[in-house]
Amino acid sequence: LDSFHTYRKEFKIGKEGWLTASLSARDWDKDGVIENKPILKIETLHDKQQQVLTIDVNNDHTGGAILRSTNALPDEYRIEYKLFMLDFGGTNRDGSIEYDGRINGYSEEGCKTQHPWGEGSNSRGWSGDASEPYCNWQSVREGPYGYNGFHFLSIVDFPDPAPRNNHFWHYRRKVLMDSFSQHPDRVGDSSGGKVCNAETGEYYDYRDSSFRTVNMWVSGLPGTWQPNPGGLTGSSQWFITSCNGGVATRGIQSAAELQQPELLLPNEYYSFAIERNSSGYTLEASGNFARVGEKTLRFFRPFVVNGKPIWHYNVKPSEYQGQFNHDLKQLNWAYGSTVFEDQWPAGSAYPDYFVIGDLYTNVYEGKASLADIRLFVSSTLSSPTLSPTKAALPIPSTGLSSSTPTKAPKDQKTLSLDDDAVAFLIAHGHR
């Protein structure tokens, strides 16, 4: 951890700052100069027909850039946006994982490893010795843990979310939609998981896809409350597709496959949305999907099904009675033992915050373009500081300093990024 410095910067954007941009960058040699600064910028696509906000971590998988809600979301809401371009791994139209000087979306230069947050000392792909040099840690570009990805939209259980390592996030998400672009080395001789053809209702092997898939899933209780020495815990993962009847099921199952970017028409986009009501969450993805065509995938998951909850679903104490509380134990490790008590006690509350983008500071590299982020709130709910009108994005200072679907709420208020706003935002700030 002492081998580099991390710089972070945050700033509010949108009407009354309802959105926050949060960025993270690594100073590899600790000389006060960030080698590759993540960038947020407004661009115009398709011959000035569409303005988008582009997230670009600038060829450094240790950088992070997200958009999030500044304040906690209300008890009931719908958050949605449009995705116009995604380039965070996957194959090109010729089926190659290597193109344009990149491998699965990562630049070819230098090593790309998970250092200093590996998969656990007993996991494959490295010796498990934390004193190993950077390049000897597990590679994210290729090898048995090689993968890329992007969080289309996630709901998390804590305030002020910011880019962090992937293991931190594996314990903090409630419901989400993401991409998981595995390198063929990671797939190996296995199927790599399954992808649902929502038109036929049948699965095909992930290895037969473009590796540009959409996962729609919910987090459950940890897979184990006491991992084996050298292992790591995380919330269990329950995937929802049309092929499993909209029932959350264990095992990697993608709900859809994105079209190759060059096959989309100039003004085509994908839309992603998450809703919360008094009984559960709804996940929604729409667009021109590979092998399927235009489709809206919409799945509702109650907070608890057959004694299996969505992790930290309660946004207020009255929604939960403490029945899933437990201690998390990590014992007999080479570097000691720790017990984290009361991971979900009675009287607790976990207000919702949404995040979009590159959350991880040890994995993920690429860029994406999006527009029209909107929050819908029922008019019967209190909505402090929120307004249905649009406002221009301010340009911040860049000076360096050290299975039953729900319906969308009626009588909605809308908040969005202004289509005419222009900003070029570069991450640098206090360590």
Side-chain angles (χ1 to χ4, degrees):
L1 287 173
D2 191 46
S3 64
F4 60 88
H5 284 166
T6 296
Y7 285 75
R8 301 188 181 277
K9 190 179 184 73
E10 292 190 340
F11 40 84
K12 296 178 181 179
I13 55 180
K15 177 68 175 179
E16 297 183 2
W18 82 280
L19 284 173
T20 292
S22 182
L23 303 101
S24 176
R26 185 174 294 188
D27 175 8
W28 288 85
D29 55 12
K30 302 193 294 186
D31 66 351
V33 178
I34 300 171
E35 286 79 7
N36 293 289
K37 302 171 184 176
I39 296 170
L40 296 181
K41 60 181 177 180
I42 299 290
E43 296 182 314
T44 302
L45 300 180
H46 314 316
D47 193 27
K48 299 183 179 181
Q49 295 184 37
Q50 177 64 52
Q51 284 192 324
V52 295
L53 177 68
T54 294
I55 298 172
D56 185 353
V57 295
N58 200 13
N59 294 328
D60 191 339
H61 70 290
T62 68
I66 66 171
L67 296 173
R68 63 172 174 84
S69 49
T70 300
N71 301 313
L73 297 170
D75 294 354
E76 299 188 28
Y77 60 84
R78 174 184 170 93
I79 183 71
E80 68 178 30
Y81 77 98
K82 298 173 182 176
L83 179 73
F84 282 85
M85 186 277 292
L86 179 73
D87 192 5
F88 273 83
T91 65
N92 65 5
R93 65 187 306 169
D94 296 323
S96 176
I97 203 77
E98 300 182 22
Y99 60 93
D100 295 340
R102 294 176 297 152
I103 301 173
N104 199 23
Y106 293 97
S107 65
E108 295 178 339
E109 297 180 3
C111 306
K112 301 277 185 179
T113 76
Q114 290 201 24
H115 177 275
W117 299 285
E119 293 287 342
S121 59
N122 284 344
S123 59
R124 57 191 178 144
W126 72 313
S127 70
D129 184 352
S131 66
E132 287 274 11
Y134 171 83
C135 287
N136 290 357
W137 287 57
Q138 291 150 324
S139 174
V140 299
R141 186 170 50 202
E142 59 269 300
Y145 275 100
Y147 75 100
N148 208 338
F150 184 83
H151 278 64
F152 298 122
L153 186 58
S154 299
I155 302 299
V156 300
D157 66 357
F158 68 104
D160 304 326
R164 295 286 190 273
N165 69 81
N166 62 332
H167 306 300
F168 171 88
W169 286 106
H170 285 176
Y171 202 61
R172 307 313 300 264
R173 302 170 298 190
K174 300 187 182 188
V175 301
L176 65 149
M177 293 176 283
D178 72 344
S179 68
F180 181 50
S181 299
Q182 301 178 69
H183 189 278
D185 290 348
R186 182 169 182 144
V187 175
D189 296 329
S190 71
S191 66
K194 300 183 291 186
V195 184
C196 176
N197 183 321
E199 192 66 23
T200 66
E202 297 180 348
Y203 286 108
Y204 56 95
D205 287 345
Y206 174 87
R207 68 184 176 201
D208 297 327
S209 74
S210 65
F211 304 166
R212 301 173 184 267
T213 58
V214 177
N215 299 322
M216 306 174 72
W217 52 289
V218 303
S219 294
L221 295 172
T224 174
W225 289 104
Q226 184 173 328
N228 293 324
L232 297 174
T233 194
S235 301
S236 56
Q237 301 176 358
W238 300 77
F239 295 84
I240 309 174
T241 74
S242 300
C243 297
N244 62 20
V247 177
T249 308
R250 297 295 300 273
I252 298 177
Q253 303 164 59
S254 297
E257 179 182 352
L258 300 180
Q259 291 280 15
Q260 299 285 3
E262 59 267 30
L263 298 182
L264 291 175
L265 296 174
N267 291 315
E268 279 191 303
Y269 57 84
Y270 293 98
S271 63
F272 296 92
I274 292 178
E275 299 170 14
R276 187 188 194 275
N277 67 10
S278 60
S279 58
Y281 290 92
T282 297
L283 284 72
E284 180 182 295
S286 301
N288 179 8
F289 297 109
R291 310 187 190 208
V292 173
E294 287 289 338
K295 194 81 170 180
T296 294
L297 305 172
R298 183 174 168 86
F299 305 109
F300 174 72
R301 184 14 166 110
F303 295 139
V304 182
V305 175
N306 296 326
K308 297 179 173 60
I310 293 175
W311 181 243
H312 286 175
Y313 65 82
N314 56 306
V315 299
K316 51 190 178 183
S318 60
E319 294 179 325
Y320 170 69
Q321 289 74 50
Q323 65 270 35
F324 303 115
N325 187 37
H326 211 286
D327 295 342
L328 173 62
K329 301 177 181 180
Q330 298 192 266
L331 306 177
N332 301 318
W333 282 42
Y335 302 101
S337 300
T338 302
V339 176
F340 302 94
E341 298 180 348
D342 293 326
Q343 294 299 289
W344 197 353
S348 62
Y350 305 91
D352 285 3
Y353 291 79
F354 77 81
V355 293
I356 300 168
D358 177 0
L359 280 63
Y360 297 166
T361 55
N362 60 333
V363 196
Y364 290 0
E365 184 174 308
K367 60 182 179 179
S369 297
L370 53 94
D372 296 336
I373 304 174
R374 299 175 184 269
L375 173 64
F376 296 86
V377 181
S378 172
S379 61
T380 61
L381 299 175
S382 61
S383 180
T385 74
L386 301 186
S387 164
T389 61
K390 295 182 179 182
L393 277 169
I395 302 177
S397 167
T398 57
L400 183 64
S401 58
S402 162
S403 331
T404 300
T406 60
K407 295 182 179 180
K410 296 180 180 179
D411 302 323
Q412 297 159 330
K413 294 182 179 180
T414 303
L415 291 167
S416 67
L417 291 173
D418 182 19
D419 293 336
D420 299 323
V422 178
F424 186 85
L425 315 175
I426 301 178
H428 42 44
H430 292 293
R431 228 181 75 224

